[in-house]
Amino acid sequence: MPEPERRRPARWRPWLRALHRDIGYAAVGLTFVYALSGLAVNHIADWDPNFHNYEARHQVAVPLPEDDRAAADKVLAELALTGPPTEIYRSDARELSILLEGSTLHVDLDSGAVLEDGQRPRLLLRLANWLHLNRGKQAWTYIADGYAVFLLFLAASGLFMLPGRKGLMGRGGLLVLLGIAVPVLYVTLSGGP
């Protein structure tokens, strides 16, 4: 009885695995940027992903000058704030507001109490959001498109990495169907567009 002929492994699979691996390594940095930014922007109703809002209380010596500009200069000097104000105005008869780059000082002219409210940028997250939302426009569009092509290749090549029961004709195929079912079910059940 002749021995059954063994199937020879596909010669292209090692090349596909190597290419999949190398493109995957090249895509890691951008994947971190887009994933981090995506998580942050998904929860924009709960927090500001670009800035950290803060409040601080200060005290300055009174009496303050009656002239708004002179009072603002004295407050800024006492608080050791060097940036020039973008605007100075009276919020009411006894409160002076001093707008600075990134913060506002609310000065009680009677007591010298100062409430500072402002924003500090979340450096890495703000940068990731800037890239993710394509604020860099033309040049970044080419990079983002290249990254999208990388992701499409990784998804498509991943389908053919493993043969047999663990691959597309087995467990892998079921997982692909599950991955497709999630957005389809969500759109269907949520009454999407």
Side-chain angles (χ1 to χ4, degrees), residues 32-55:
F32 283 138
V33 166
Y34 279 91
L36 183 63
S37 174
L39 287 169
V41 172
N42 277 348
H43 300 280
I44 203 163
D46 303 321
W47 71 313
D48 184 342
N50 292 315
F51 294 96
H52 167 70
N53 297 312
Y54 71 91
E55 274 190 5

Side-chain angles (χ1 to χ4, degrees), residues 9 27 61 67 80:
D67 177 68

Side-chain angles (χ1 to χ4, degrees), residues 126-142:
R126 186 171 180 219
L127 178 62
N129 293 336
W130 187 82
L131 291 170
H132 192 154
L133 299 172
N134 197 11
R135 302 282 193 233
K137 299 301 177 210
Q138 192 63 35
W140 188 254
T141 299
Y142 296 125

Side-chain angles (χ1 to χ4, degrees), residues 5-25:
E5 198 174 306
R6 285 188 177 185
R7 276 181 61 194
R8 295 172 67 190
R11 292 180 183 209
W12 53 269
R13 275 206 172 86
W15 288 100
L16 182 67
R17 275 195 293 276
L19 196 55
H20 182 94
R21 178 199 61 222
D22 292 346
I23 288 177
Y25 283 143

